[in-house]
Amino acid sequence: MVGPERPEFVLFGSSIVQFSYSNEGWGALLAHIYARKADIVLRGYSGWNSRRAVQILDQVFPKDAAKQPSLVIVYFGGNDSIHPHASGLGPHVPLSEYIENVRKIAIHLKSLSEKTRVIFLTAPPVSDEQIRAHLSDLIDMVRTNESCRIYSEACLEVCREMNLKAIDLWTAMQQIDNWETACLTDGVHFAPEGNKIVVKEILKVIKEATWEPSLHWKAMPTEFSEDSPYDMVSPEGKTVNVSELDLLGSFQWE
């Protein structure tokens, strides 16, 4: 372990999480925005469904850990929504079981600590046409936008029942013109524009939440932000605390 100790935000999910540091990913964007404020921790497992997530909850989130995450952002559902394969193999999880698995994940995470906050991401939309073009030679699956809608709505309903924060990615992404090509790379995974939408929606939820303490990046202290004679020097000959400057465009995010 390294110090000083910071709040931990854990991203827990399937490939949408595992790949979130690539292609201007939403995990990388969060790590940039929360630099010197919180550590963004990835627990992403490409190809996984909610059934497998439930099986390893105690290993990823042990209840007896000395430190518990301040925030967990959960994404499972897209792989669950894939149609059943004729072989009986594959990631499909029946809707009723998916609903129960979301509930189990939520109960476990809420039990970790009174200060552990949880946000669920719903299944985003998919492009049937792009899937056929990019993935049909690699994976024998039927994954449709309609099935993603059904699982997305089920996730939202569980979160409403349990008073949990949830982000409707299925709807949010389809508000963009030409969303299939603007937001997705292969019909399933996010292009840079899609990643920006995820971050925008996450920050909106965090900002509007009444959590104490606030987990919004502007409300959190910056590590080692005190003025120092070793700071950079401005053209006027005065020190400049660069930790407070927007050198890389963080302030575009609300």
Side-chain angles (χ1 to χ4, degrees):
M1 178 177 176
V2 297
E5 187 173 287
R6 297 176 182 170
E8 285 187 354
F9 294 2
V10 181
L11 315 183
F12 179 49
S14 56
S15 59
I16 295 297
V17 171
Q18 181 174 325
F19 302 159
S20 68
Y21 267 50
S22 62
N23 209 23
E24 301 177 44
W26 62 278
L29 289 171
L30 287 175
H32 164 56
I33 293 166
Y34 279 91
R36 296 172 67 170
K37 296 174 181 289
D39 288 331
I40 309 299
V41 180
L42 256 61
R43 290 296 182 269
Y45 306 94
S46 181
W48 279 39
N49 57 22
S50 64
R51 185 182 295 162
R52 297 183 77 178
V54 167
Q55 293 171 353
I56 51 91
L57 276 175
D58 287 320
Q59 294 169 262
V60 179
F61 300 101
K63 293 185 178 182
D64 60 353
K67 178 182 177 182
Q68 296 293 357
S70 296
L71 174 65
V72 183
I73 300 176
V74 183
Y75 167 70
F76 289 100
N79 292 327
D80 298 65
S81 76
I82 292 173
H83 291 200
H85 194 272
S87 67
L89 302 173
H92 171 74
V93 171
L95 184 63
S96 59
E97 181 187 344
Y98 170 71
I99 290 170
E100 191 57 32
N101 289 343
V102 170
R103 190 173 283 114
K104 289 177 181 177
I105 293 169
I107 290 171
H108 183 92
L109 296 177
K110 288 176 68 176
S111 74
L112 297 179
S113 159
E114 290 183 359
K115 295 294 186 181
T116 297
R117 313 303 183 183
V118 181
I119 300 173
F120 276 83
L121 307 179
T122 75
V126 297
S127 167
D128 304 350
E129 182 178 345
Q130 283 195 54
I131 289 174
R132 286 192 296 271
H134 295 284
L135 298 176
S136 60
D137 290 341
L138 301 172
I139 303 172
D140 181 14
M141 70 173 184
V142 178
R143 181 170 178 171
T144 67
N145 202 29
E146 175 60 15
S147 64
C148 287
R149 180 191 66 80
I150 293 169
Y151 280 68
S152 171
E153 290 183 355
C155 179
L156 291 173
E157 181 59 30
V158 173
C159 290
R160 280 191 291 267
E161 291 174 4
M162 301 185 70
N163 194 29
L164 291 168
K165 304 295 184 184
I167 295 172
D168 182 359
L169 290 182
W170 191 87
T171 298
M173 287 200 176
Q174 292 183 87
Q175 306 307 306
I176 304 299
D177 291 339
N178 302 313
W179 64 268
E180 292 177 286
T181 53
C183 296
L184 304 173
T185 59
D186 57 7
V188 174
H189 301 104
F190 300 148
E193 187 62 32
N195 284 306
K196 290 177 183 177
I197 292 171
V198 178
V199 172
K200 179 181 177 182
E201 295 297 323
I202 289 172
L203 293 180
K204 179 181 178 183
V205 167
I206 293 174
K207 185 176 183 178
E208 293 177 353
T210 56
W211 297 330
E212 291 293 341
S214 173
L215 298 180
H216 189 259
W217 69 278
K218 289 186 178 180
M220 298 177 72
T222 301
E223 191 174 280
F224 297 135
S225 61
E226 62 275 4
D227 292 336
S228 167
Y230 304 114
D231 284 336
M232 298 294 182
V233 181
S234 73
E236 292 77 27
K238 299 179 180 180
T239 56
V240 178
N241 189 334
V242 295
S243 71
E244 302 302 326
L245 293 182
D246 186 28
L247 297 177
L248 295 176
S250 294
F251 292 0
Q252 68 178 296
W253 302 100
E254 293 297 328

